[in-house]
C-alpha cells in the first residue's frame, strides 16, 4: 500500500534523512549500471535542479529533487530489493515519493519537481512538442514554465549523472572538517613568513594546502601574459612519471585550454572530472592519471597572478562545490605570500609593463617583434602586426570623465589579452595613449581576429569603445622592426580616415591610397562599426518565440522588446500602461542598454508618470490601437514627442500599442540612437515581429502618414 505524499514528507516538502540517503543509493546503482549511458537520467537531473532553483527551494530540497528525478522509473526488481533490505519506514517514504504524479504545483515539493523533470526528459527525447509537454504537467506561464522552455531549447545532451549524484551525496552528508581546515589555514599563514625565495615559500604552502584539502597532488602555477601560458612553479603529492617537483619548463598554453583561460581571467573556480565535457581538461586528467581536478585562480594586486590546481585519485571522491570555499581561502593565503615577496621584482616588472593596463609596453613589444622575426626566419614565416586605435577616447574623457576613459583602456587591454590567447604566438601590447597592437607570426585569420575583438568589446557596458584597425606583415630579413611598426601604423591611420573596418598590407604591397579603400560608411553605421549587432539576439529571440506560444500579453511585449533591442542595436525599450478612464500613462518596465551619463538627460525609471494630454500621438495610439514611429529630426511630426526624444538623447521611437482583456492599454516603445539600425529598416522588422506577438497585423506608420 502506498503512502500519500503529504504523509510521507515533513512540512517543508523534504524527505526524511533515511529516505533521502536511500534514494541516493538507488540513484548511484541505477546510474552506474545504465548502458544508455544515463542520458535521460542526466537530463532529468539537470532540469530538476533548474526547477528547484526557479521555485526557490533550499539546497537540500534542490538536491532531493535532482536525485529523485534520476530514479523516477526504478525497475520493479530493484524497488523490491530496496523494500527487502532497507528500513521499512525509509523504503515506504521513497516508494511514496516515486508515486507522485507529474504536476507542477506551487509551492512544489521536491518529489513533484522530480516527477515533472523525468516526464519532460522523456517527452523531449521522444520528440514531443514543448506546448504538449507543458500541458501534460499543468505548467501555466510563469517562472517554472520559462525555466523548462529554456532547458528544452538550450540544454545539450548531458553526460552520465553518476558524478553529479556522487557530488550531491557528499553535500547531503556533512563532512565536519571545519576544525581541521581552520588549523591548516593557520599553518599556511605561518608559511608566509618562512625564509627563502617566493618559490621556496610556495613549495611549503603547496604541501600544507595538499594535506589540508586531501588532494592526491597539488600544483601552483604562475600566469605569464606576455607568453600566453601558465608556468608551473611547484608540484607536490602523487605525481605522474613525467612531472617534476620544481619543473623548469612545464607550461600550459592558454589557447589550448580556452575555457580555463577565461575562468582564470574572470577569477572563477573550475571543477573537472574524467567525464568532463571539456576535451582539453579531460585529456589533461588522463595524462596525469587522476580522476578529478579543481583550478582556483590566484589574484595579486587586483590582477590574475596564477592558479592552484589540485587533483584526486581515480576512484576517490571527486572535488565538489563544497570544497570551493576552503580552496579559495588557500588561494587567498597564497596571494598574501605573493604580495609579501613580489616587491623584490616590482621595479623590473614596471620596466616592461604598461602601468595602467598591466600588459606589455612598447619597449617589450619591439624586443618581442625582433624575436618573432628571428623565429620567422627559421621557418620562412611572415611576421605581422595588428595596430589598433581606440576611436573617440577624448569624447569619452570629456563626457564621462578621465577615470571612465582609463577604465575603457583597461577593458580594451583585457579583451586584447583574451583574444590573443586563442591564437598561438599572438602577443598583445599597449604602445601608449589610445594605441594598442598584437604581434603575431603569419597573417591568416586577421580579419576574424578583429571581428572577435569587436564582438567582445560590444558585449559590455557603456561607453563601448570603437576601434580603427590596420595590419601589416613583413618577411624576416626584409625589413627591421621600425619598418613593420611604420607600415602597420600607416594602415591603421588609413582605416581611421576612411572608416574601413580593416586595412591590411601584405609584405609585397605598398600602403594604398584612400581612394582604393572601401568607402567610409554613413555616420549612423560608422559610429556603431565596432558594435556586434545581435550578439545576444539568439537567446532573446528564443524567449520571444516561447512567449508567443503561451505567455501573457505583458510577457509577449517585453520579450518583443528584448528581441528588438538586440537585433536592431537599440538604445532601450519601455513598456507603459494606461488604466481605463485615467488621463496618465506610467512606465511599467524597461530595458536600458546604453545609458548616457549627462545628468541633464533623463535615464528613465519604472513607474515614471506622464500626462497623456501633453502627448497626443501617444494618446491616439492607445485609443485607436495603431502604432507609430517618428524621428527627432522630422519637423512634420508631433513636437511634444520630438522634444521627449531630445530629452532622452535618442534619435527615434517606434511605438507598439495593445490592450489586454481587462481593457488596460499597453504601449511598447522602442528607442534607437545613432548606433542603431536606421528607422526605416528597424520599423519593418518591428512590424513583422509585432504582428506575430499581437496575433494581428501591426503597422507603425510615421505620424505624417496617419490620416
Amino acid at each position: 500500500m502506498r503512502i500519500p505524499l503529504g504523509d510521507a514528507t515533513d512540512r517543508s516538502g523534504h524527505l526524511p534523512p533515511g529516505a533521502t540517503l536511500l534514494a541516493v543509493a538507488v540513484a548511484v546503482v541505477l546510474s552506474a549500471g545504465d548502458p544508455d549511458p544515463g542520458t535521460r537520467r542526466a537530463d532529468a537531473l539537470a532540469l530538476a535542479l533548474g526547477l528547484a532553483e526557479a521555485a526557490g527551494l533550499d539546497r537540500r530540497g534542490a538536491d532531493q529533487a535532482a536525485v529523485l528525478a534520476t530514479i523516477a522509473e526504478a525497475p520493479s526488481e530493484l524497488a523490491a530489493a530496496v523494500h527487502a533490505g532497507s528500513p521499512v519506514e525509509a523504503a515506504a517514504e521513497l516508494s511514496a515519493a516515486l508515486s507522485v504524479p507529474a504536476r507542477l504545483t506551487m509551492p512544489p515539493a521536491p518529489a513533484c519537481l522530480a516527477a515533472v523533470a523525468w516526464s519532460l526528459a522523456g517527452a523531449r527525447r521522444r520528440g514531443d512538442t514543448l506546448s504538449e509537454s507543458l500541458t501534460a504537467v499543468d505548467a501555466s506561464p510563469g517562472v517554472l514554465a520559462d525555466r523548462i522552455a529554456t532547458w528544452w531549447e538550450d540544454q545539450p545532451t548531458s553526460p552520465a549523472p553518476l558524478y553529479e549524484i556522487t557530488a550531491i551525496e557528499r553535500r547531503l552528508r556533512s563532512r565536519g572538517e571545519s576544525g581541521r581546515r581552520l588549523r591548516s589555514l593557520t599553518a599556511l599563514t605561518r608559511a608566509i613568513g618562512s625564509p627563502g625565495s617566493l618559490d621556496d615559500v610556495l613549495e611549503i604552502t603547496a604541501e600544507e594546502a595538499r594535506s589540508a584539502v586531501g588532494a592526491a597532488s597539488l600544483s601552483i602555477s604562475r600566469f605569464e601574459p606576455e607568453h600566453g601560458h601558465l608556468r608551473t612553479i611547484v608540484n607536490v603529492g602523487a605525481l605522474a612519471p613525467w612531472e617534476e617537483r620544481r619543473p623548469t619548463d612545464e607550461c600550459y598554453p592558454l589557447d589550448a585550454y580556452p575555457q580555463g583561460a577565461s575562468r582564470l581571467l574572470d577569477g572563477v573556480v573550475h571543477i573537472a572530472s574524467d567525464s568532463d565535457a571539456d576535451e582539453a581538461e579531460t585529456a589533461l586528467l588522463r595524462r596525469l592519471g587522476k580522476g578529478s581536478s579543481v583550478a582556483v585562480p590566484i589574484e595579486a594586486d587586483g590582477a590574475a597572478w596564477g592558479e592552484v590546481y589540485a587533483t584526486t585519485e581515480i576512484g576517490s571522491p571527486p572535488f565538489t562545490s563544497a570544497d570551493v570555499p576552503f580552496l579559495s581561502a588557500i588561494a587567498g593565503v597564497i596571494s598574501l605570500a605573493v604580495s609579501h615577496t613580489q616587491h623584490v621584482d616590482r621595479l623590473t616588472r614596471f620596466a616592461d609593463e604598461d602601468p595602467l593596463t598591466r600588459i606589455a609596453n612598447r619597449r617589450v613589444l619591439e624586443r618581442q617583434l625582433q624575436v618573432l622575426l628571428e623565429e620567422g626566419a627559421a621557418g620562412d614565416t611572415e611576421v605581422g602586426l595588428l595596430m589598433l586605435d581606440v576611436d573617440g577616447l577624448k569624447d569619452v574623457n570629456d563626457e564621462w570623465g578621465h577615470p571612465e576613459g582609463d577604465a575603457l583602456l583597461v577593458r580594451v587591454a583585457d579583451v586584447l589579452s583574451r583574444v590573443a590567447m586563442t591564437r598561438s604566438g599572438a602577443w598583445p601590447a599597449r604602445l601608449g595613449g589610445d594605441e594598442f597592437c598584437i604581434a603575431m607570426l603569419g597573417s591568416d585569420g586577421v580579419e576574424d581576429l578583429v571581428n572577435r575583438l569587436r564582438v567582445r568589446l560590444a558585449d559590455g557596458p557603456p561607453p563601448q569603445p570603437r576601434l580603427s584597425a590596420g595590419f601589416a606583415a613583413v618577411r624576416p630579413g626584409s625589413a627591421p622592426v621600425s619598418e613593420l611598426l611604420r607600415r602597420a601604423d600607416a594602415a591603421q591611420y588609413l582605416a581611421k580616415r576612411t572608416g574601413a573596418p580593416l586595412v591590411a598590407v601584405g609584405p609585397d604591397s605598398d600602403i594604398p591610397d584612400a581612394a582604393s579603400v572601401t568607402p567610409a560608411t554613413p555616420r549612423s553605421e560608422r559610429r556603431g562599426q565596432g558594435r556586434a549587432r545581435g550578439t545576444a539576439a539568439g537567446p532573446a529571440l528564443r524567449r520571444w518565440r516561447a512567449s508567443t506560444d503561451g505567455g501573457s500579453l505583458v510577457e509577449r511585449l517585453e520579450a518583443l522588446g528584448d528581441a528588438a533591442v538586440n537585433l536592431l542595436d537599440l538604445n532601450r525599450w519601455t513598456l507603459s500602461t494606461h488604466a481605463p478612464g485615467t488621463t496618465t500613462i506610467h512606465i511599467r518596465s524597461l530595458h536600458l542598454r546604453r545609458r548616457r551619463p549627462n545628468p541633464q538627460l533623463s535615464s528613465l525609471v519604472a513607474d515614471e508618470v506622464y500626462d497623456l494630454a501633453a502627448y497626443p500621438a501617444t494618446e491616439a495610439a492607445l485609443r485607436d490601437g495603431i502604432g507609430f514611429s517618428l524621428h527627432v529630426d522630422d519637423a512634420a511630426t508631433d513636437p511634444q514627442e520630438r522634444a521627449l526624444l531630445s530629452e532622452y538623447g535618442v534619435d527615434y521611437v517606434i511605438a507598439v500599442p495593445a490592450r489586454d482583456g481587462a481593457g488596460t492599454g499597453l504601449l511598447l516603445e522602442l528607442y534607437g540612437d545613432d548606433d542603431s539600425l536606421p528607422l526605416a529598416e528597424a520599423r519593418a522588422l518591428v512590424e513583422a515581429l509585432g504582428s506575430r506577438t499581437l496575433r494581428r497585423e501591426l503597422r507603425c506608420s510615421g505620424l505624417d502618414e496617419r490620416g
Side-chain angles (χ1 to χ4, degrees):
M1 176 178 178
R2 293 192 180 274
I3 303 174
L5 180 64
D7 298 329
T9 60
D10 60 27
R11 291 183 179 180
S12 65
H14 297 306
L15 291 172
T20 298
L21 296 179
L22 181 59
V24 170
V26 176
V28 170
V29 171
L30 284 176
S31 299
D34 193 339
D36 194 16
T39 48
R40 179 176 177 186
R41 300 187 193 285
D43 280 353
L45 182 146
L47 180 54
L49 283 172
L51 290 175
E53 177 188 356
L57 264 64
D58 59 20
R59 188 57 179 268
R60 179 184 170 206
D63 285 346
Q64 288 178 344
V67 170
L68 289 173
T70 67
I71 62 172
E73 202 173 62
S76 57
E77 56 271 19
L78 179 58
V82 166
H83 281 274
S86 306
V88 174
E89 183 178 354
E93 302 283 2
L94 179 57
S95 178
L98 294 177
S99 69
V100 174
R103 295 288 184 270
L104 278 182
T105 59
M106 290 298 288
C112 292
L113 294 182
V116 168
W118 179 260
S119 173
L120 291 173
R124 184 166 173 268
R125 293 194 171 279
R126 289 194 304 270
D128 297 351
T129 66
L130 174 60
S131 57
E132 291 173 346
S133 303
L134 290 177
T135 301
V137 297
D138 292 341
S140 57
V143 175
L144 295 183
D146 289 346
R147 183 59 59 92
I148 292 170
T150 300
W151 167 85
W152 189 279
E153 295 193 13
D154 297 340
Q155 179 71 18
T157 300
S158 305
L162 181 58
Y163 167 75
E164 287 84 356
I165 292 173
T166 304
I168 288 173
E169 180 181 19
R170 293 183 71 188
R171 287 199 297 268
L172 292 173
R173 296 178 186 268
S174 173
R175 291 200 236 171
E177 296 179 333
S178 56
R180 181 178 65 82
R181 291 187 163 185
L182 181 60
R183 290 190 295 273
S184 298
L185 279 178
T186 303
L188 282 171
T189 305
R190 285 198 300 268
I192 295 176
S194 302
S197 66
L198 175 61
D199 289 2
D200 294 332
V201 172
L202 292 180
E203 183 173 4
I204 297 171
T205 305
E207 285 285 12
E208 291 285 352
R210 187 193 69 80
S211 174
V213 79
S217 69
L218 188 140
S219 305
I220 299 176
S221 301
R222 173 75 185 267
F223 173 42
E224 297 182 342
E226 66 274 18
H227 301 299
H229 64 216
L230 279 169
R231 178 182 295 278
T232 300
I233 297 173
V234 60
N235 298 305
V236 297
L239 305 181
W242 53 270
E243 287 185 287
E244 299 176 4
R245 185 176 180 88
R246 294 281 285 265
T248 57
D249 59 354
E250 184 181 338
C251 299
Y252 297 90
L254 294 182
D255 59 348
Y257 301 90
Q259 293 188 30
S262 178
R263 294 186 183 100
L264 171 66
L265 293 174
D266 289 334
V268 176
V269 176
H270 174 51
I271 297 173
S273 68
D274 57 6
S275 61
D276 197 276
D278 188 328
E279 294 182 2
E281 298 284 352
T282 302
L284 178 59
L285 279 174
R286 289 171 181 166
R287 283 183 62 211
L288 294 169
K290 300 299 190 294
S292 75
S293 68
V294 58
V296 186
I298 303 170
E299 285 192 1
D301 299 329
W305 183 89
E307 75 172 18
V308 178
Y309 184 83
T311 68
T312 62
E313 297 285 5
I314 296 174
S316 298
F319 288 115
T320 72
S321 58
D323 298 299
V324 170
F326 180 64
L327 286 163
S328 297
I330 289 175
V333 171
I334 294 174
S335 175
L336 289 175
V338 170
S339 298
H340 185 73
T341 57
Q342 198 163 243
H343 69 277
V344 175
D345 65 345
R346 186 161 293 168
L347 291 177
T348 303
R349 178 167 54 85
F350 281 169
D352 292 344
E353 186 179 87
D354 176 62
L356 174 65
T357 63
R358 306 290 295 273
I359 63 174
N361 58 22
R362 184 182 185 113
R363 174 175 173 270
V364 182
L365 170 72
E366 293 181 358
R367 191 168 67 220
Q368 183 65 19
L369 282 174
Q370 187 61 48
V371 171
L372 290 177
L373 286 169
E374 293 171 1
E375 291 179 356
D380 194 25
T381 304
E382 296 175 0
V383 175
L385 183 64
L386 176 64
M387 194 81 77
L388 302 158
D389 182 87
V390 181
D391 294 337
L393 179 62
K394 183 179 183 302
D395 293 339
V396 172
N397 287 333
D398 292 344
E399 188 176 3
W400 296 75
H402 284 276
E404 194 67 45
D406 288 346
L408 183 142
L409 292 174
V410 171
R411 181 162 171 258
V412 170
D414 178 65
V415 169
L416 253 65
S417 297
R418 291 169 184 262
V419 172
M421 285 177 189
T422 65
R423 181 186 177 107
S424 179
W427 213 78
R430 182 188 180 197
L431 295 177
D434 55 4
E435 288 191 324
F436 295 83
C437 63
I438 298 179
M440 63 190 77
L441 279 174
S443 56
D444 294 337
V446 173
E447 185 175 355
D448 176 66
L449 187 146
V450 172
N451 287 337
R452 284 189 286 124
L453 284 172
R454 287 180 169 140
V455 167
R456 280 182 174 269
L457 289 171
D459 190 24
Q464 292 170 323
R466 302 184 302 276
L467 299 178
S468 294
F471 176 81
V474 298
R475 290 192 179 89
S478 66
V481 169
S482 58
E483 176 62 12
L484 177 57
L485 283 164
R486 186 195 70 79
R487 288 168 63 82
D489 185 63
Q492 180 270 123
Y493 178 70
L494 187 57
K496 192 179 186 73
R497 282 179 53 205
T498 61
L502 172 67
V503 173
V505 182
D508 300 320
S509 305
D510 295 328
I511 305 296
D513 56 30
S516 65
V517 176
T518 303
T521 51
R523 176 175 176 269
S524 63
E525 292 281 332
R526 184 168 66 253
R527 284 199 56 185
Q529 75 177 26
R531 191 180 311 286
R533 287 198 182 96
T535 54
L541 275 174
R542 287 193 289 272
R543 289 194 298 272
W544 167 77
R545 189 167 59 247
S547 75
T548 60
D549 292 334
S552 67
L553 181 58
V554 167
E555 290 171 334
R556 299 202 308 270
L557 287 171
E558 289 180 341
L560 171 61
D562 283 341
V565 158
N566 285 284
L567 282 172
L568 309 176
D569 197 10
L570 298 178
N571 179 281
R572 66 186 75 177
W573 63 256
T574 64
L575 181 62
S576 304
T577 61
H578 170 239
T582 64
T583 59
T584 59
I585 184 173
H586 80 274
I587 296 176
R588 182 186 189 278
S589 53
L590 62 92
H591 175 174
L592 183 60
R593 189 178 191 190
R594 286 190 289 278
R595 183 187 302 276
R596 298 186 180 272
N598 190 335
Q600 301 299 318
L601 302 177
S602 168
S603 60
L604 288 178
V605 295
D607 294 325
E608 195 166 340
V609 178
Y610 294 87
D611 185 357
L612 276 176
Y615 302 97
T618 298
E619 184 178 31
L622 287 166
R623 181 186 64 243
D624 303 333
I626 300 175
F628 69 83
S629 63
L630 64 90
H631 197 281
V632 69
D633 295 332
D634 187 355
T637 59
D638 189 325
Q640 298 279 39
E641 300 282 355
R642 288 166 46 218
L644 194 62
L645 292 181
S646 296
E647 181 185 348
Y648 291 161
V650 296
D651 287 353
Y652 65 78
V653 64
I654 304 173
V656 178
R659 190 171 298 278
D660 65 16
T664 299
L666 297 166
L667 187 69
L668 175 68
E669 293 172 283
L670 305 163
Y671 294 92
D673 56 25
D674 52 8
D675 280 334
S676 305
L677 205 66
L679 173 57
E681 299 175 42
R683 183 171 62 189
L685 186 57
V686 169
E687 287 177 341
L689 294 175
S691 295
R692 179 170 175 184
T693 301
L694 301 178
R695 298 164 187 168
R696 62 174 173 82
E697 184 178 0
L698 171 68
R699 185 164 180 264
C700 300
S701 309
L703 293 185
D704 56 335
E705 301 175 54
R706 296 171 63 178

